[in-house]
Amino acid sequence: MTALPARRASVKPSAGVPDGLPAPGRFAHLHPEDGACLMEATALLASGRFTDSPAGTHTALAALARVVNDSVGDDARRALWPLAADLADARPAGRDYAPLLVGAVVDEARLVRPASRRLARHGRACRTRAARLAHAPTGGPAARIGDLLWWRGPGRRHLEQALGVLCAAPDADQRLSGLLREAVAQARECTGRGAASREFRCNR
């Protein structure tokens, strides 16, 4: 996925990093001694396993968190570290959650590029899919396969293209950090209720 080039390391100490977690870093790591990305820290808190795809975090939300972690500067990354505890249990069950989340990211990207027809199409596609799945049953192999195909195809492409726009914005750190905080808060609200909120509050 899209990520900005490495930024100048901060000279400030790693304040705000929870005790026992590795130091915040970009990209995946082989061992906690080398540092950890936000999702690796989440997995350590949740299960003690060192992976960037913990079971307690929705796949689409984890993908967003990985890009934000890898794209923001050092200070912004440290400021996001407390989100690891909330991400550990952020897996809404509703089938409309993923297209709603991707649509919220696309909407944020449209604030940067309001004239983009491609982003407008992607936003409409996400809203259409979310509306169709809002009351759809969550079980069944056909539903799981359909959702997986959407996520690995157009859903992931829409997310990556929108994040590419946000990563190139002059205020990328602020936009990406705010977007992730809102997304985590929404996911926590939806987790356990079985359905995603019809309105993601990602446009500030």
Side-chain angles (χ1 to χ4, degrees):
M1 279 191 144
T2 307
L4 290 175
R7 301 187 183 187
R8 180 178 63 84
S10 171
V11 296
K12 295 179 181 179
S14 298
V17 178
D19 292 339
L21 286 182
R26 300 175 81 229
F27 306 121
H29 301 80
L30 294 177
H31 193 275
E33 291 180 357
D34 301 324
C37 74
L38 179 58
M39 291 313 303
E40 289 167 341
T42 296
L44 287 173
L45 285 176
S47 65
R49 295 182 60 227
F50 194 62
T51 173
D52 64 358
S53 300
T57 309
H58 193 283
T59 302
L61 180 59
L64 172 62
R66 285 191 292 269
V67 173
V68 172
N69 175 86
D70 296 344
S71 300
V72 299
D74 294 340
D75 291 339
R77 186 178 303 109
R78 277 192 289 271
L80 291 171
W81 220 237
L83 291 178
D86 288 334
L87 281 162
D89 184 24
R91 195 176 184 91
R95 292 181 61 196
D96 59 339
Y97 174 76
L100 282 172
L101 175 62
V102 175
V105 179
V106 171
D107 288 346
E108 184 74 13
R110 290 189 67 197
L111 296 179
V112 178
R113 292 188 187 169
S116 172
R117 294 181 179 179
R118 181 173 67 175
L119 290 174
R121 287 196 306 272
H122 293 174
R124 287 194 298 270
C126 289
R127 286 189 291 274
T128 298
R129 181 173 179 82
R132 183 162 54 85
L133 297 178
H135 304 291
T138 58
R144 289 193 294 271
I145 291 172
D147 291 345
L148 181 63
L149 290 174
W150 180 84
W151 169 245
R152 292 191 175 178
R156 193 175 186 91
R157 287 196 302 272
H158 296 345
L159 181 65
E160 289 178 345
Q161 289 164 3
L163 286 170
V165 171
L166 292 170
C167 286
D171 55 348
D173 279 15
Q174 179 181 356
R175 288 184 180 274
L176 291 169
S177 297
L179 181 63
L180 181 59
R181 287 191 177 95
E182 291 282 356
V184 172
Q186 286 283 351
R188 292 283 294 167
E189 288 179 11
C190 297
T191 297
R193 294 195 320 211
S197 170
R198 296 301 304 145
E199 180 139 355
F200 271 45
R201 299 183 300 272
C202 289
N203 290 343
R204 294 166 306 288

